[in-house]
Amino acid sequence: MNYQSIREACCEANRKLPATGLVDLTFGNVSVLDPDSGVFAIKPSGVDYDALTPDSMVLVDLNGEVVEGELKPSSDTPTHQRLLQAFGDAGVTSVVHTHSRNAVAFAQAGREIPCFGTTHADYFFGAVPITRELTADEIQGEYEWATGEAIVERFADLKPLDFPAVLVKSHGPFAWGKTADKAVEHALALEIIADMALKTLAANPSAEPIPDVLLKKHFLRKHGSSAYYGQG
Amino acid sequence: MNYQSIREACCEANRKLPATGLVDLTFGNVSVLDPDSGVFAIKPSGVDYDALTPDSMVLVDLNGEVVEGELKPSSDTPTHQRLLQAFGDAGVTSVVHTHSRNAVAFAQAGREIPCFGTTHADYFFGAVPITRELTADEIQGEYEWATGEAIVERFADLKPLDFPAVLVKSHGPFAWGKTADKAVEHALALEIIADMALKTLAANPSAEPIPDVLLKKHFLRKHGSSAYYGQG
Amino acid sequence: MNYQSIREACCEANRKLPATGLVDLTFGNVSVLDPDSGVFAIKPSGVDYDALTPDSMVLVDLNGEVVEGELKPSSDTPTHQRLLQAFGDAGVTSVVHTHSRNAVAFAQAGREIPCFGTTHADYFFGAVPITRELTADEIQGEYEWATGEAIVERFADLKPLDFPAVLVKSHGPFAWGKTADKAVEHALALEIIADMALKTLAANPSAEPIPDVLLKKHFLRKHGSSAYYGQG
Amino acid sequence: MNYQSIREACCEANRKLPATGLVDLTFGNVSVLDPDSGVFAIKPSGVDYDALTPDSMVLVDLNGEVVEGELKPSSDTPTHQRLLQAFGDAGVTSVVHTHSRNAVAFAQAGREIPCFGTTHADYFFGAVPITRELTADEIQGEYEWATGEAIVERFADLKPLDFPAVLVKSHGPFAWGKTADKAVEHALALEIIADMALKTLAANPSAEPIPDVLLKKHFLRKHGSSAYYGQG
């Protein structure tokens, strides 16, 4: 069996999803890329998380061709493919899609999540972005690919690791990272931030984003060359 | 003991309800129909879930006569009976009633749940319908039967499997499916959708339903002859 | 050791409180009356639930005198005493006090909980009542007794078992029943109803109470001589 | 190994944080002071809670110098240091920082938490205070120290044990107490109070704080020389 390490990382990350509280039923999937071969492992479609094994992961290349696998890959595969293509140069090797409820609320509301505090600023270098509405042609055509394209379009002027997740309008979040663990952490951080933002709006409907100077302080405390958080 | 398979399916589905988080105290019940004999099994009234056994299920026919059973059936039995009668031709063999809190909120608010996003569109082919208010005569007469009638009336122009649950105004949800597992899944999906809808309204009180083209894409991605989700 | 049966019932009910989700930290207590002797058992003040034993319960008579017990009784004892005095004739033998969060929200908001649906009507024969504000003299004097007096005053025209709980303004709920199990069930039902009511108001800020005919149908379906819910 | 007792108390309190529900990911830390030596133990930065041992705690003195420890202390160390300096005379020996979601909501909303009820009054002698916004110079300079200074400034006219927690604007809560257990209890009480306050505002957006006489009654029932709650 080839691609054993991405099979295992992908299986483990998918199996861990339910315990994070981020997924209900089977609404979530993780992919993991092997950058050298340009092949990624992804969850098979509609299979329960606790039935997953490394062998049941589906292997797909960056052109979308199934390389190995008995089962059909997640129906969201073309979105993962497009993101791994576009964000690979920035070091992204894993994408996580969930329907976590608070992030979905902002996606359904058609609102980016303002940076209301330092928890947010520890992970995102500004508001969590949201994609534009897809056109009827995009929805009726290669819908999942078009979803990926709309994300990449939204990131024309954004660095993927400065904003490690996005809200797809009317749908839900995609998150990513340099490893599967980091991608799942970003999906979880997004959900926490979205929960805090909803509660902030409940406490003060006209709450304002934090000043830029505080945003920079917190984001750069954890990221980049002058980071001083953690043991790194 | 006759009807062993529906006794067992009904017992198992009822016993699983508390773990879904959909029921508090004893507010919930499941019925399972044997379409060949026109007999259904249903939870006995007011009995704790973990005390249920296949033998304690009550067997009722589609005319509402108890066929077998020492205990009184759920007081909601006539509603189950009416739904299994009316929706049997569409393949429905199981009905679930809960007082799950977010779905109840919309039922009490007298609002259908708008289709705000793709999670909703994966399960319902439009807004989750709500019944009209019952008349005083209906309430004072055969109340539980009238509840079933009001649901069937609301579905005059709807297919039961295009909308696998309903909100009974001022009361709560009923869900159904081709199997007990599917009926419970639909009750759970409804509760998740209702939670997301409340949070969507908190993020944007004037949130709009998704466009029809996106609704069709998602519903038909999972249902009908051109479905491509899952391994089917 | 005397009063063994109320010691055991009181200990068991207090120990079960944290698992209901109704109490945080040590914010809750249960009392159980022996109607024959006019003595009730109550939780000692400020002791952790899992450290409670039947022997550590404090025995108090209906005049407020400690009959047996090494420890100080709950500081809320005079409120329990007043309720057990006043509601004993109606068959009440147990009182539960919690700071359950949704019920507290209505108590702090100074609003009774309107009967928005049938879950509520299954337990309360109308809106959940709230007490008036206490006067400065009452607060500075025998505060806990005055709290009980305000509840009894609010029930001048209400039957205790038609409304098995009350909101004390700016404070939180007291619930009661014919047994400790029923009193805890009523405290739990109140919290569920309060949660549903908050969510109903979120879905529709101008939601209306249900019609009287539906209220009567549901309450009397479970209570009184024509009840037909359960196996009784 | 020196300072064994504060190492152990600090390790135990940090390890217990996730079970309280107050921390997500690694967003939280506890410090414990040895008042005699002026040295405090604090969580190392960015380490998972279940990997902590008494030996991995970092020892820092009240001038901010690391006394013992292989790992870098929490990036929030200067805030803990400033609070332990300023509040030590009042008997404070432990500080807890979390990003608990409801308290963060008020911090992000820029609102103190009004005293809406007796649960609040049992712990805080009035509204939970919030700090002013930091200046750009403070943020770009010794940020974590400036955070501590802003808290101390806010407490110019407040006693630390009358208000055992504060909201840092745009950030989140710090709590403290005479022991680590009490500091964690105060962080938890704050989160409960914040949850109740959000729900109170949902039930009544113009809810008012409780009268002073009731605030005094409840706070002094549990604190100070005439306290009569508990067994003390």
Side-chain angles (χ1 to χ4, degrees):
Chain A
M1 191 68 66
N2 296 313
Y3 306 106
Q4 195 61 22
S5 75
I6 60 172
R7 282 179 183 280
E8 287 176 4
C10 185
C11 179
E12 185 190 342
N14 276 291
R15 289 182 65 107
K16 281 197 314 195
L17 276 188
T20 61
L22 295 174
V23 302
D24 295 299
L25 298 165
T26 57
F27 308 157
N29 43 65
V30 185
S31 60
V32 180
L33 176 72
D34 171 20
D36 294 332
S37 61
V39 166
F40 62 96
I42 192 163
K43 180 178 177 293
S45 184
V47 176
D48 283 347
Y49 296 98
D50 54 12
L52 298 176
T53 61
D55 286 6
S56 63
M57 298 298 105
V58 188
L59 279 292
V60 183
D61 70 23
L62 285 175
N63 299 315
E65 299 298 319
V66 171
V67 173
E68 284 184 18
E70 306 282 313
L71 299 169
K72 281 167 57 184
S74 164
S75 54
D76 297 309
T77 298
T79 316
H80 287 256
Q81 175 198 346
R82 187 69 193 91
L83 296 181
L84 291 169
Q85 276 181 2
F87 297 164
D89 286 351
V92 170
T93 69
S94 180
V95 172
V96 176
H97 174 47
T98 80
H99 287 207
S100 67
R101 300 185 192 185
N102 294 292
V104 162
F106 279 92
Q108 294 191 157
R111 283 184 78 164
E112 59 181 26
I113 307 177
C115 182
F116 284 136
T118 62
T119 316
H120 185 130
D122 283 340
Y123 279 93
F124 292 85
F125 205 12
V128 177
I130 186 165
T131 60
R132 65 167 170 80
E133 200 164 286
L134 296 185
T135 66
D137 281 354
E138 287 171 326
I139 291 167
Q140 289 167 331
E142 298 297 317
Y143 168 65
E144 291 83 5
W145 177 260
T147 299
E149 284 278 78
I151 297 171
V152 172
E153 181 187 317
R154 182 67 186 80
F155 273 71
D157 299 317
L158 301 177
K159 293 183 185 168
L161 292 177
D162 282 359
F163 297 85
V166 72
L167 303 173
V168 174
K169 186 167 187 307
S170 306
H171 187 151
F174 283 81
W176 46 79
K178 288 188 171 180
T179 64
D181 277 355
K182 278 290 170 190
V184 172
E185 179 182 339
H186 296 153
L188 183 53
L190 171 64
E191 181 64 2
I192 294 163
I193 288 164
D195 184 23
M196 288 173 173
L198 278 180
K199 290 176 169 143
T200 299
L201 290 167
N204 180 0
S206 53
E208 292 284 338
I210 62 175
D212 269 5
V213 60
L214 185 58
L215 170 61
K216 279 184 186 150
K217 175 69 187 185
H218 265 265
F219 190 77
L220 299 175
R221 190 168 88 146
K222 275 195 145 177
H223 305 271
S225 57
S226 19
Y228 60 93
Y229 179 92
Q231 304 296 333
Chain B
M1 192 67 64
N2 296 312
Y3 306 106
Q4 195 62 22
S5 76
I6 58 172
R7 283 178 182 281
E8 286 175 6
C10 185
C11 178
E12 185 190 341
N14 276 291
R15 290 181 65 106
K16 280 197 315 195
L17 276 188
T20 61
L22 295 174
V23 302
D24 295 298
L25 298 165
T26 58
F27 309 156
N29 42 66
V30 185
S31 60
V32 181
L33 176 71
D34 171 20
D36 294 333
S37 61
V39 167
F40 62 96
I42 192 163
K43 180 178 178 291
S45 184
V47 176
D48 283 347
Y49 296 98
D50 54 11
L52 299 175
T53 62
D55 287 6
S56 62
M57 297 299 106
V58 187
L59 279 293
V60 183
D61 69 23
L62 286 175
N63 298 315
E65 298 298 319
V66 171
V67 174
E68 284 184 19
E70 306 281 315
L71 299 169
K72 282 167 56 185
S74 164
S75 55
D76 297 309
T77 297
T79 315
H80 289 256
Q81 175 197 347
R82 186 69 192 93
L83 297 180
L84 291 169
Q85 277 180 1
F87 297 164
D89 286 350
V92 170
T93 69
S94 181
V95 172
V96 176
H97 174 46
T98 79
H99 287 207
S100 67
R101 300 187 191 185
N102 294 292
V104 163
F106 280 93
Q108 294 191 157
R111 283 184 77 163
E112 58 181 26
I113 308 177
C115 181
F116 284 136
T118 62
T119 317
H120 185 129
D122 284 339
Y123 280 93
F124 292 84
F125 204 13
V128 178
I130 186 165
T131 59
R132 65 166 170 81
E133 200 163 286
L134 296 184
T135 65
D137 280 353
E138 288 171 326
I139 292 167
Q140 288 167 332
E142 298 297 317
Y143 168 65
E144 292 82 5
W145 176 261
T147 299
E149 284 280 78
I151 297 170
V152 172
E153 180 187 318
R154 182 67 186 81
F155 272 71
D157 299 318
L158 301 178
K159 294 182 185 167
L161 292 177
D162 282 359
F163 298 84
V166 72
L167 303 173
V168 174
K169 186 166 188 306
S170 307
H171 187 148
F174 283 80
W176 46 80
K178 288 187 169 180
T179 63
D181 278 354
K182 278 290 169 189
V184 172
E185 179 182 338
H186 296 154
L188 183 53
L190 171 64
E191 181 64 2
I192 294 163
I193 288 164
D195 184 23
M196 289 174 172
L198 278 180
K199 289 176 168 142
T200 299
L201 290 168
N204 180 1
S206 53
E208 292 285 339
I210 61 175
D212 269 5
V213 61
L214 185 58
L215 170 62
K216 279 183 186 152
K217 176 69 187 185
H218 264 266
F219 190 77
L220 300 175
R221 191 167 87 146
K222 278 194 144 176
H223 305 272
S225 57
S226 20
Y228 59 94
Y229 179 92
Q231 303 297 332
Chain C
M1 192 68 64
N2 296 312
Y3 307 106
Q4 195 61 22
S5 75
I6 58 171
R7 283 178 182 281
E8 285 176 6
C10 186
C11 178
E12 186 190 341
N14 276 291
R15 290 183 64 107
K16 281 198 314 195
L17 276 188
T20 61
L22 295 174
V23 301
D24 295 298
L25 297 165
T26 57
F27 308 157
N29 42 67
V30 185
S31 60
V32 181
L33 176 71
D34 171 20
D36 294 332
S37 61
V39 166
F40 61 97
I42 192 162
K43 180 178 178 291
S45 184
V47 176
D48 283 346
Y49 296 97
D50 54 11
L52 297 176
T53 61
D55 287 6
S56 62
M57 297 298 105
V58 187
L59 279 292
V60 183
D61 68 24
L62 285 175
N63 299 315
E65 299 298 319
V66 172
V67 173
E68 284 184 20
E70 306 280 314
L71 299 169
K72 282 167 58 186
S74 165
S75 54
D76 297 309
T77 297
T79 315
H80 288 256
Q81 175 197 346
R82 186 70 192 92
L83 296 181
L84 291 169
Q85 276 180 1
F87 297 165
D89 285 351
V92 170
T93 70
S94 181
V95 171
V96 176
H97 174 47
T98 80
H99 287 207
S100 67
R101 299 187 193 185
N102 294 291
V104 162
F106 280 92
Q108 293 190 157
R111 282 185 78 163
E112 58 182 27
I113 307 177
C115 181
F116 284 136
T118 63
T119 317
H120 185 130
D122 282 340
Y123 280 94
F124 292 85
F125 205 13
V128 178
I130 186 165
T131 59
R132 64 167 171 80
E133 200 163 287
L134 296 185
T135 66
D137 280 354
E138 287 171 327
I139 292 167
Q140 289 167 331
E142 297 298 317
Y143 169 65
E144 292 82 4
W145 177 261
T147 298
E149 284 279 78
I151 296 171
V152 172
E153 180 187 318
R154 182 68 186 78
F155 273 70
D157 299 318
L158 302 176
K159 293 183 186 167
L161 292 177
D162 282 359
F163 298 85
V166 72
L167 303 173
V168 174
K169 186 166 189 305
S170 307
H171 188 149
F174 283 79
W176 46 80
K178 288 187 171 182
T179 64
D181 278 354
K182 279 289 170 190
V184 172
E185 179 182 339
H186 295 154
L188 183 53
L190 171 64
E191 181 64 3
I192 294 163
I193 289 164
D195 184 24
M196 289 174 172
L198 278 179
K199 289 177 168 142
T200 299
L201 291 168
N204 180 1
S206 53
E208 292 285 338
I210 63 174
D212 269 5
V213 60
L214 185 58
L215 170 62
K216 279 183 187 152
K217 175 69 186 184
H218 264 266
F219 190 77
L220 299 176
R221 192 168 85 145
K222 277 194 143 177
H223 305 271
S225 56
S226 16
Y228 59 95
Y229 179 92
Q231 303 298 332
Chain D
M1 191 68 65
N2 296 313
Y3 306 106
Q4 194 62 20
S5 75
I6 59 171
R7 283 178 182 281
E8 286 176 4
C10 186
C11 178
E12 186 191 340
N14 275 291
R15 288 182 65 107
K16 282 199 311 195
L17 276 188
T20 60
L22 295 174
V23 302
D24 295 299
L25 297 165
T26 58
F27 307 157
N29 43 66
V30 185
S31 61
V32 181
L33 176 71
D34 171 20
D36 294 333
S37 61
V39 168
F40 62 97
I42 192 163
K43 180 179 177 290
S45 184
V47 176
D48 282 346
Y49 296 98
D50 55 11
L52 298 176
T53 61
D55 288 6
S56 63
M57 298 298 106
V58 188
L59 279 292
V60 183
D61 68 23
L62 285 175
N63 299 316
E65 299 298 319
V66 172
V67 173
E68 284 185 19
E70 305 281 314
L71 299 168
K72 282 167 57 184
S74 165
S75 55
D76 297 309
T77 297
T79 315
H80 288 255
Q81 174 197 346
R82 187 68 191 92
L83 296 180
L84 291 169
Q85 276 181 2
F87 297 164
D89 285 352
V92 170
T93 69
S94 181
V95 171
V96 175
H97 174 47
T98 79
H99 287 207
S100 67
R101 299 185 193 186
N102 294 292
V104 162
F106 280 92
Q108 294 191 157
R111 283 185 77 164
E112 58 182 26
I113 307 177
C115 181
F116 283 135
T118 62
T119 317
H120 184 130
D122 282 339
Y123 280 93
F124 292 85
F125 204 12
V128 177
I130 187 166
T131 60
R132 65 166 171 81
E133 200 164 287
L134 296 184
T135 66
D137 280 355
E138 286 171 327
I139 291 167
Q140 289 168 331
E142 299 297 317
Y143 169 65
E144 291 83 5
W145 177 260
T147 298
E149 284 278 78
I151 297 171
V152 172
E153 181 187 317
R154 182 69 186 78
F155 272 70
D157 298 318
L158 302 177
K159 292 182 187 169
L161 292 177
D162 282 0
F163 297 86
V166 72
L167 303 173
V168 174
K169 186 168 188 304
S170 307
H171 187 150
F174 283 80
W176 47 80
K178 288 187 171 182
T179 64
D181 278 354
K182 279 289 171 190
V184 172
E185 179 183 339
H186 295 154
L188 183 52
L190 171 64
E191 181 64 2
I192 294 163
I193 289 165
D195 184 22
M196 289 175 172
L198 278 180
K199 289 176 169 143
T200 299
L201 290 168
N204 180 0
S206 53
E208 292 284 338
I210 62 175
D212 269 6
V213 61
L214 186 58
L215 170 61
K216 278 183 186 150
K217 176 69 186 183
H218 265 267
F219 190 76
L220 300 176
R221 190 168 89 145
K222 276 195 143 177
H223 305 270
S225 56
S226 16
Y228 61 95
Y229 179 92
Q231 302 298 332

